[in-house]
Structures are given as structure tokens and as C-alpha cells.
Amino acid sequence: MSVTSRPRFDRARVAGWVRGLRRRVVRALRTRAAARPAGDAWAPKLELVARRVARGLKRLERAVLPTSAIAAEESVADSGRRVRVTQPLVLITQMGRSGGTLLLHLFDGHPSCLVVPHELSALLTAERLNGAAADVFEVLTPRQLAKWRASGVRVGKEGIAGPRRYAPALDLPPSLVRQLFLASFPESAHSDRDVLDAYFSAYFSAWKDRLDSNEPPRWVIGFEPGAIGDEARMTRYDANYPDGRVISVLRDPWSWFVSARRWSLRFAHVDVALARWRRTVECALAYRERSPDRIALIAFDDLVLDTASVTARLCDFLEIPVSEAMLMPTFNGAPVDDNSSFAGSSGGVSRDPAMKRRAELTDDEAATIDARVGTLWRAALAVLDTEAAV
């Protein structure tokens, strides 16, 4: 008599189904929001529902498929390139579609910096890191780490800027990161900073083809769009890195809206988009008011039109030598395409976002943006002018 075994629960398949459901539901809600006229009260409500649904289903996806389930299994050997990371984190953060990815890739070539070449995501957590070592590893590790190793970190977005483009593969085995992190996890009483130092030490030690520098690093550089507008995450960042610095790029709302609505449906409705832009810019200005020595504000137009002056000013802010390597965006030393919402980009620093995008608005759209956030932008410009003059 044969006994038929019950089918094994396929966590990866269930997680994929949840991911697909999240994308379909959120897209449907945002499509409806985008179709509402300007000034309509339902557009912001639909966007709020979309964000809550997305968060809930993303939590379910994470619960179903832990990081260790997708980590590439391999024979793990010490890379022999151990690095102990205790340097403070420089956080690049602002409204998405404002040049943060470009700035991250400009820092990539600076010999005084250890650069995380992708968005920080969970590495800029608002949670306390007081669990068991294996659980903390699951919290901190980016979900796409194994995928990035296989096919590279995506640059640009398929369907809006030509074919999907990738930076070079990130030769960073998740299993090796895990082994090194568990081996160095502080066993006695420790702070969240101790845990983060252990994780970054494992991360940069496990990165097999990471370019070495002859200079001792001064900073870890990381990028997380929108974090400046998240009070919980910034509170934890300040607590974990009282010696850290913040850099925020401010982009004018007219050219920003042209780029943002093309990038994602979440920004397709002008009221929804400008509410997000307003909150992020207000939070950046408020942070500068509270901690002027910890944050550098730079204008997006200055970054793309006068890259040399802006990067020199940032080097001065971070007390590191000026480097010509910061004039060309790179990924682990190799030239990389930009993260534009538009086709035609071919690497380097493009001037088009500052020179052309605003002209793509209708007169009504430009007037609506001015009515909603023009006063705030002019106040921000005054602050940016003061920063540039220092």
C-alpha cells in the first residue's frame, strides 16, 4: 500500500503570488487615483489606501519568504579581505527622483568612502536590533541580494527609459555575509550601532571584487530616498549615528513632477505627488533648522550643471580631500548609466533634467504647481543660496 505524501509548502511560490497580487491591486488603485481631476478629494484617499495595502502585503511576502531561503548556497570561505567598519554613515536622502542615485554613484569613486551601491532599505531601519543574531540578519539583509549577484543592480526602469539596464553584478554572496555577520555579532550587551558596525563589516568583507583603496576610509555612504520625511527612521539614524552626516538634494517641483509622474503611478496625480514633495522638503528644511552642522542641502540643478563645484563643497562638508573621481558616476569603479526617467541617457552626468524637463508641463500644470508649492520652493531656494555661499 503506497502512501501519498502531502505536497511540500512552496514558500517561494506563495511569496511570488503575494508579490504579484500586491502589484496588481496597487496599480489598479493608483490608476484610478491618477484619473481623478486636480483638486479632487478622492485621489489622495486612493493613494493612501494603495500605500497601506502595499505595506501590508509586503510584510506578508517577507514573512513567507525569509532572506535565508533565497540566499545562494555555496561553499563559504573567508575572502581574506576582512575589513572592520566602525566609520559613521553619511545618509543621502531626499524626495525620490531628485538625484540621490546619481550622487551615490559619484561618491563611489572617492577613496575615502565605503559606498553601499544600492538603496539602504532595511539597513536604515526604524526597529531596535535587539533580537538573536540570525533574526537580526533577516531584518537587515536586502531581499534582492542574491538577484543582484546573479544579474546586477538595475539602473533605470524598463518601459520608460528604453531597455532595462544593469550595473555590473554585485559579487556579494549572501551566505558569506551571513557567516561573517554571525561570527562577529556582539554577544554581550550591545547597542544598535554595534550591530550595524558588525553588519557593514561583514558586508564589505564579503564583497569579493570590491575595489580597494590605499587610503583608510573616513565614511560609509548610503542612500535611502524619502527617509528624511520619515520621523521614526530619522530618529533611529540620529541615535545610531550621532557622528554621521546627512546630504539632501532639493529639486524644483516643476521638473521633479515631470520626472516623477513618468517614473511611477504613485506620482501621476498632481495633488498626491506634491503632497509628498512638500512633506519631504519641509522635513529637510526642519532638519537643517535643528542640526545645521549635520546636514548639507544642495540644489539638483547645481548638481547636474556644476558637478565639480558641488562635489568639492560636499568633500569640504565631510572633511575629505576633493577627488576628480567624483565627476563621473561609477559602480565599483566602472562607469554606469544614469537612473533617468527618460530615454537617451548614456552614462555620465546628464544636463537634460535641469535644462528640458520643465518645458514638458502645460501652462495649467505649471500654474497648479506654483499655487500648491511655489512659496515653499522659493523659501527653499533662499536656504540653498545661503548654503552655496558658505
Side-chain angles (χ1 to χ4, degrees):
M1 178 177 175
S2 62
V3 178
T4 303
S5 61
R6 297 179 62 183
R8 187 176 180 180
F9 179 59
D10 190 338
R11 299 173 72 92
R13 186 172 182 177
V14 173
W17 181 85
V18 173
R19 187 182 311 116
L21 175 65
R22 170 170 56 85
R23 290 172 177 169
R24 290 192 300 272
V25 173
V26 170
R27 183 172 184 83
L29 289 167
R30 285 179 170 153
T31 298
R32 289 180 177 272
R36 309 299 299 185
D40 181 85
W42 275 101
K45 293 177 182 178
L46 288 169
E47 170 60 20
L48 179 61
V49 172
R51 292 172 66 186
R52 288 178 175 175
V53 168
R55 283 198 297 266
L57 290 178
K58 190 126 186 182
R59 283 196 294 268
L60 178 59
E61 180 189 342
R62 287 176 64 90
V64 170
L65 185 63
T67 302
S68 56
I70 62 172
E73 293 299 327
E74 59 179 67
S75 176
V76 178
D78 193 322
S79 65
R81 299 173 66 247
R82 289 287 190 98
V83 55
R84 183 168 179 263
V85 178
T86 59
Q87 292 85 355
L89 173 67
V90 174
L91 174 61
I92 301 171
T93 180
Q94 69 275 308
M95 191 67 224
R97 317 311 309 150
S98 298
T101 302
L102 169 62
L103 188 55
L104 183 75
H105 289 316
L106 293 176
F107 270 110
D108 175 79
H110 200 293
S112 297
C113 300
L114 290 170
V115 177
V116 181
H118 51 75
E119 294 178 8
L120 289 172
S121 188
L123 283 167
L124 190 70
T125 179
E127 304 176 35
R128 295 300 304 272
L129 303 176
N130 53 2
D135 294 336
V136 173
F137 177 80
E138 297 289 351
V139 169
L140 292 177
T141 302
R143 319 304 296 176
Q144 306 96 322
L145 204 54
K147 180 180 179 181
W148 290 335
R149 190 183 183 212
S151 57
V153 179
R154 189 181 70 187
V155 179
K157 191 171 185 179
E158 190 173 22
I160 66 170
R164 185 185 300 247
R165 296 163 293 158
Y166 290 86
L170 182 59
D171 194 2
L172 184 59
S175 49
L176 182 53
V177 180
R178 188 176 192 276
Q179 176 185 336
L180 295 176
F181 176 68
L182 297 184
S184 61
F185 189 81
E187 296 183 2
S188 57
H190 57 263
S191 66
D192 287 358
R193 173 66 176 272
D194 294 331
V195 174
L196 290 167
D197 286 349
Y199 191 91
F200 280 123
S201 297
Y203 181 101
F204 286 107
S205 295
W207 188 349
K208 291 188 173 182
D209 64 348
R210 178 177 59 85
L211 292 181
D212 287 319
S213 170
N214 294 325
E215 299 181 22
R218 171 73 173 83
W219 303 97
V220 176
I221 308 289
F223 168 53
E224 183 61 16
I228 192 73
D230 187 328
E231 184 178 354
R233 296 180 89 182
M234 292 306 295
T235 297
R236 294 303 310 151
Y237 168 77
D238 289 340
N240 292 331
Y241 291 100
D243 51 351
R245 306 279 176 87
V246 177
I247 301 172
S248 194
V249 187
L250 303 187
R251 184 174 184 177
D252 80 82
W254 294 273
S255 70
W256 172 82
F257 178 63
V258 172
S259 176
R261 69 179 176 184
R262 184 176 173 85
W263 184 263
S264 173
L265 266 174
R266 78 183 68 182
F267 303 125
H269 193 281
V270 66
D271 293 336
V272 173
L274 294 180
R276 295 279 296 279
W277 182 92
R278 172 186 286 278
R279 172 168 175 75
T280 305
V281 171
E282 286 178 339
C283 287
L285 296 176
Y287 195 100
R288 181 184 181 275
E289 188 70 22
R290 294 193 307 271
S291 306
D293 295 334
R294 278 175 56 85
I295 187 170
L297 299 179
I298 60 175
F300 174 82
D301 284 5
D302 291 344
L303 177 63
V304 299
L305 296 177
D306 192 5
T307 308
S309 294
V310 169
T311 53
R313 180 154 59 91
L314 291 177
C315 288
D316 182 63
F317 171 65
L318 297 178
E319 301 170 353
I320 55 179
V322 175
S323 172
E324 289 189 2
M326 290 188 70
L327 300 181
M328 175 65 69
T330 57
F331 182 103
N332 199 26
V336 64
D337 286 339
D338 60 38
N339 194 35
S340 175
S341 298
F342 293 83
S345 56
S346 58
V349 179
S350 172
R351 300 165 64 90
D352 286 352
M355 304 294 290
K356 297 181 179 180
R357 301 304 175 226
R358 188 167 176 165
E360 300 185 24
L361 293 171
T362 66
D363 290 343
D364 286 345
E365 288 172 333
T368 297
I369 293 171
D370 188 66
R372 299 282 199 281
V373 295
T375 300
L376 174 59
W377 175 243
R378 286 182 280 276
L381 271 179
V383 175
L384 289 168
D385 289 343
T386 301
E387 289 259 313
V390 174

